[in-house]
Amino acid sequence: MSKTQNSVGRAGSALQQRVDSFGRTVVEMDRTSLLFAVVQLLLILGAFASFLIQSPWAMTLLYAFLLVTGIGWARRQELTAKLLTFEMTALTLSTLGLIAFFLFLEALPALREMGLGHVLSPFGSNQWSVSQGQFSLVPMILGTLVTTAVAILIAAPFGVAGALFISEIAPDWLREITKPAVELLAGIPSIVYGFIGFTIINKYVSNLFSITPGGAMFTIGIVIGFMALPTVVSVAEDALSAVPDAMKDGSVAMGATDWQTMKSVSIPTAFSGVSAAVLLGVGRAIGETMAATVMISHSRRMLEPTVYNVFDSTETLTTLIASGYGTAPPESTYMSALFVAGVLLLVIVTGLGIVSQLIQQRMQRKLRGGQ
Amino acid sequence: MSSENETPDLTRDTGLSQLVEGTTTGVFALCALVTLVTTVAIFVTLLRPAVDFFASISVATFLTGTEWSPNPSGGSLAFGIVPLLIGTLTVTITAAFISLPIGTLTAVYLSEYASARVRAILKPMLEILAGVPTVIYGYFAFVYVTPALQATLFPNLGTFNALSASLMIGIMTIPMVSSISEDAMNAVPDRLRNASYGLGATKYEVSTSVVIPASISGIVSSYILAISRAIGETMIVVVAMGSQANMPQVRDAILGIPYIHPADVLLQDGATITVAMVNIAVSDLTGGTLPYKAMFALGLALFVITLVLNVISDIIAKRYREVY
């Protein structure tokens, strides 16, 4: 109890200190600087806001901002540099925040009309039918889950083992080849993966398992798994090489072999970082659109005969948006339902991102404390 | 006394432990090789149909042709990559104009000006938002940015246009530039900064003449990553820029050098290499036809561009790397 009060009190006094120091900074500035800073901030804010409300004043304000910044650069370079870098950071974050806000706003009508339960609950009709006005996202959520599960079954083991090899075992010359290959793999546009999957892997898998060639979730999962592979490898490798050499050397000096060192020193120490890598891979797999769009059948229904039949084909959340936005009439429930899918994606991917960030931070704290 | 020369066996090298060591090393090596093999396999897969394609359409025609109409459903065929290249270049350059300066300034703010607490909040936020599915950005461009641009700046902007697509790609790649550049700037040791402050430099002077030069290899790597991301971006382009490969009008300048006015590309709809591939892939095409093979030729072009950018980035990173 007193602990909570203490921490609240500390947070309060920290805030107080920050406000005080900000106040001091403001008071210490000479009047011209203060005026200039305020005008600059107001102008960029005004330009941004009037662009958003589509007012023709946006450009005038932007030019005025550039003019004031130019004058500031000549007269008060130090202050201008600080303000400019701050404004750009704030601008980026607010644009990205606005995108999230816009998604929620557009998703509201569908949620209001259908109810959150109907859209998301697996115990309802589970039907997506535009003609009947049924917009249940459950088949698409299932599709996303299934492809992501297959993808991560490929990306996680290969990725983590690959990272272990690159950071712990590989001789220098092999590392020199493998690391650029991973980077190249990460850089290849997703459409290239998509159409290789569509033209080659699709046919191969349907021949192998004697299924109709229609973009089975299994095939799409494989392709997405290979796309997520470089993400897992590079983040896991970062985590593994962050393990202090002193710890590994200590283990080797005790007579442990490479594998024993990895098993009992490197992996446990870097475990949180490695799991963050896998989570990021999951995020990448969920958010992937293009590769899946060209391969998938776009039949928006539950998988049959069982819900976990990976050789059937349905739709994922991302491909739903990609294939639906062109045909959905604006302002309709259909369109709004697509935005619900967008919100869902944003929430899932952001959630995964936050969790993996927290894990990575915890690992860094632990390593710093352990040294 | 004879035992003094014998070294006692401390390694306990039994057959089993050697087997375990060898097997684990082998398995991990295999897993790492998966990435290597995939890269090579993609290249080979692209190469074979592309070679077929270039047997019927010469490389010169492909690289210099100014009309792109693959018409998978039949009709006249033309395979000139120039309009697609112009589309890709325009989008990439415009996006770079947004992402590189704003991203760098953001990185400077986070690394040099922001307090540790502010940075601990802002940086993860930026990184998380870099993972937002791109179809969302594309939709935002189509629904909000294009109408806003029409109302404020360009009344004759098309519903589908390269400008709003490029703006959104630029915004999408800002976090990539800022996050990697910030890592590089953060790795610059404080003693360099302090030495500079000791000489009487201001914060701005320290940022521009100490921190940025010292971290230039990381900054340039982040630029190249952002650019290659912009080249490969498909979804935003499909949604906001359209998919019709248009050859912009070539104008004659005063000196007689023909040029293309940027407005002719930016304000109109157009297609990039990636979008042209999507168009062929989603149409009802049959394997072995010329449009089908054209897709592989485009894929090969993209692969080569990505490879070249990677190599450049590697060279720059090696050339300017500073180790402290």
Side-chain angles (χ1 to χ4, degrees), chain A residues 205-224:
Chain A
V205 172
S206 58
N207 284 339
L208 192 67
F209 298 107
S210 317
I211 45 175
T212 47
M217 300 319 255
F218 181 68
T219 327
I220 296 162
I222 292 180
V223 173
I224 295 179

Side-chain angles (χ1 to χ4, degrees), chain A residues 55 59 73 77-78 81 86 93 96 102 165 181 184 187 191 195 199-200 257 259 290 335 339 349-350 354 357, chain B residues 21 29 32 36 39 45 109 122 127-128 131 137 139-140 144 152-153 202-204 235 277-278 292 306 310:
Chain A
S55 146
M59 284 326 281
W73 198 256
Q77 197 186 46
E78 198 48 37
F86 169 72
L93 279 172
L96 297 168
F102 137 90
F165 181 75
L184 186 61
I191 178 67
F195 95 91
T199 53
I200 291 156
T257 60
W259 166 236
M290 216 54 242
M335 188 58 108
F339 279 99
V349 174
T350 311
I354 290 175
Q357 287 280 355
Chain B
E21 274 306 295
L36 202 62
T39 314
T45 316
Y109 177 76
L122 292 188
E127 282 172 9
I128 289 164
Y137 286 102
Y139 211 76
F140 189 74
Y144 278 68
T152 52
L153 207 52
T202 62
K203 198 150 208 163
Y204 168 74
M235 218 52 237
M277 288 171 71
V278 178
Y292 174 86
T306 316
N310 264 300

Side-chain angles (χ1 to χ4, degrees), chain A residues 3-27:
Chain A
K3 203 174 173 186
T4 343
Q5 274 172 350
N6 259 345
S7 71
V8 169
R10 254 206 309 279
S13 71
L15 190 72
Q16 188 62 43
Q17 268 176 11
R18 291 165 75 70
V19 172
D20 283 352
S21 84
F22 180 70
R24 267 200 306 282
T25 322
V26 171
V27 171

Side-chain angles (χ1 to χ4, degrees), chain A residues 264-277:
Chain A
S264 25
V265 176
S266 307
I267 298 179
T269 317
F271 184 77
S272 49
V274 172
S275 50

